[in-house]
Amino acid sequence: MTMIAIETLEHDDHFQAYCAQPSGAPKAAVIVIQEIFGVNEGIRRKCDHWASLGYLAVAPDLFWRLEPGIELDPDVPEQFQQALGLMGKFNQDQGVRDIEATIRAARTRMGGAGKVGAVGYCLGGRLAFMTSTRTDIDAAVGYYGVGIDNLLREKHAISRPLMLHIAGADHFVSPEVQNLMHDGLDDHPKVVLHDYPGLDHGFAAEMGQRRNEEGARLADGRTEAFFAQHLA
């Protein structure tokens, strides 16, 4: 496990990413897309878990243009508010370009071969959807992504498998928005949606007060099976 430098698509700068290597040759790569709290311990633990399953796991620091290296704790109210402020300043289109640069870097680290998937949480769940529509990612998973109803105009561009986990009691994603997601995506041949009734935003966090153990294990098991099917 180490920090690596990734060159931007514009070739004019570099940003940092946490990289976890499997014990042997990686069977594929997984890009772990951060929440609004930066590449904190929870995101690093998720990378370490993917590495334990045989994947090269990379989590890019997407807030590097705002506050490089920021790590925030969602259970600390002041840090939660700080995270919301960063999200408000964050350029999501540029963030997807940084994810695309990370995809290219992961393929290079695997010798130019092998598939790459992406899994994102919260803001990262939205970015996972955007990654699915705007890059050549081989498969993507979004957990409780926010504002996906505003991205449904891009659904025609989804050409690789996409899975979305929807928290039924998400206080950031209303039931009306959840219905719009189902209405827009249920009939898409490349998309599968899973609902988690009664669970709130952040239920699959690796650590902290938001985690729901049963829900997290169910969703993560589905994600692991999804990547095993589409990346291995």
Side-chain angles (χ1 to χ4, degrees), residues 121-160:
Y121 306 85
C122 178
L123 168 63
R126 176 181 172 89
L127 294 174
F129 185 96
M130 296 169 71
T131 298
S132 179
T133 63
R134 302 184 188 185
T135 76
D136 63 349
I137 197 76
D138 291 295
V141 177
Y143 283 69
Y144 30 84
V146 293
I148 290 179
D149 55 313
N150 296 322
L151 297 171
L152 293 175
R153 62 187 179 277
E154 299 186 27
K155 69 178 184 178
H156 66 279
I158 301 172
S159 61
R160 309 287 177 87

Side-chain angles (χ1 to χ4, degrees), residues 40 108 111 117-118 155 230 232:
N40 59 11
T108 298
K155 69 178 184 178
H230 297 296

